[in-house]
Each structure stands twice: as structure tokens, then as C-alpha cells.
Amino acid sequence: MNDVDARMDRLRRAARYRYQQLVDSEIERGSLDPDEVREERRLLRAADVAAHARAQIEEAERRGVFEGNPYHGKPLPGNDGHHDPDWWIKAKIEREEITGIAPPALALRKEDAELDEHLDALSAEADVRDVLDDFNARVREARRQLLGGPPVVTPLRDVETEVVAWRARRQERLAAEAQAAADRAAADEGRPRRWWRRRR
């Protein structure tokens, strides 16, 4: 803070002090309502805070702090006009792709939606059964716990039915891959061979 800023700050504090003395003397005389004075002081403090914030932003702009900031002079993304006190933590979770901190009911619901895709990535039936048994055990445990939060509405998966569906999806996928390989081989048959392939 340079000398001019320090001097201005002292003058502001002195003016506030003098104003406070005048108001207090008027309240003692009874010419001012104390409730009105309290409200006026609150508004003055709010105006002081706003003015201070504006001054800090202008100073930072002069120093070039906002250079290269993609949101400089633009509205913040996701600001739809409704105040959400948890906007920052939701944005952090989405930006950092943080998982595992949702209540069990929400985490299990999301896992249930993605379970078929997860099962399709497995190649052994025993692994599929293990994953389904683990999922069902966690659903049962979440239903027993009374930790608050939304209720657990995720249904249990019938292991035998899911294994039959997994086999059917696997057979379809293998058949589609075999057909694609056969189509590629047929397309390669129609092409003339290059000389380096002929020599082999």
C-alpha cells in the first residue's frame, strides 16, 4: 500500500468515526430511531464491501491478473440465475471426475445402469457371477444401513438370469465379430495381391 492509499484509508476511518459519534449523539437525544440506524449501518457496510471489492478487481485488472482468463468479462458457465450454495463442490466433482463419494443409494443406482456394459467386458462366466454376487451383497448392505440420504431403490440382480443374458449378448457379439472378419477376408480376396505378399 503506497502513501496515497494509506492516507485515503486513514481519512475514511476518521470520517466513519466522526459519523458514528454524530449518530450516537442523535440517538441519545431521541431524534433518530435505533432500528433505522442499525439498518443504515448495515447498508453502509455492504456498500463499503462492494466498493472495496470493485477497487480490488480494478487494481487486479491494471496489474494484468486476469490476462488469459477464459471467463474474463463473461458469465460463469452453469450460472442459470438460481443460487446453489454447493455449486463449487459440484463443479469440482464433475471437473475432477471424483467418484465414490455419493450416498450408497445414488452410487448403486449409477452402477446398476452401467452394470451390463461392465459385465460384457468380462470373458469368464465365473467372473460375471462374482461381480453379480458382489453387487447384490452391496445392495443388501445399503438397504440395512440407516445412514440417511435417499432410499435404496436399486433392485437385486438375479444371477442366473443375468448369466443367461450375458451369454446371449456374448454370442451375438462373437457372431458379429466373426461376420466382420469374414467380410474383411472376402474384401481382401477381391483385391489384387501386391508383389511382396505374393513372394511369401
Side-chain angles (χ1 to χ4, degrees), residues 8-24 41 44-45 48-49 52:
M8 290 300 293
D9 189 47
R10 280 196 303 274
L11 284 172
R12 264 190 234 107
R13 278 188 277 142
R16 265 192 231 117
Y17 177 73
R18 180 67 184 131
Y19 173 76
Q20 185 65 45
Q21 285 181 328
L22 291 172
V23 168
D24 288 343
R41 285 180 185 162
L44 282 173
R45 277 197 300 273
D48 272 355
V49 168
H52 179 68

Side-chain angles (χ1 to χ4, degrees), residues 119-120 124-126 128-129 159-174:
L119 293 176
D120 289 345
E125 185 176 315
V128 172
R129 289 180 183 278
V159 176
E160 295 306 319
T161 306
E162 293 297 329
V163 167
V164 169
W166 171 80
R167 276 194 213 122
R169 289 194 305 269
R170 182 176 165 84
Q171 289 297 327
E172 287 176 17
R173 192 172 63 253
L174 291 174

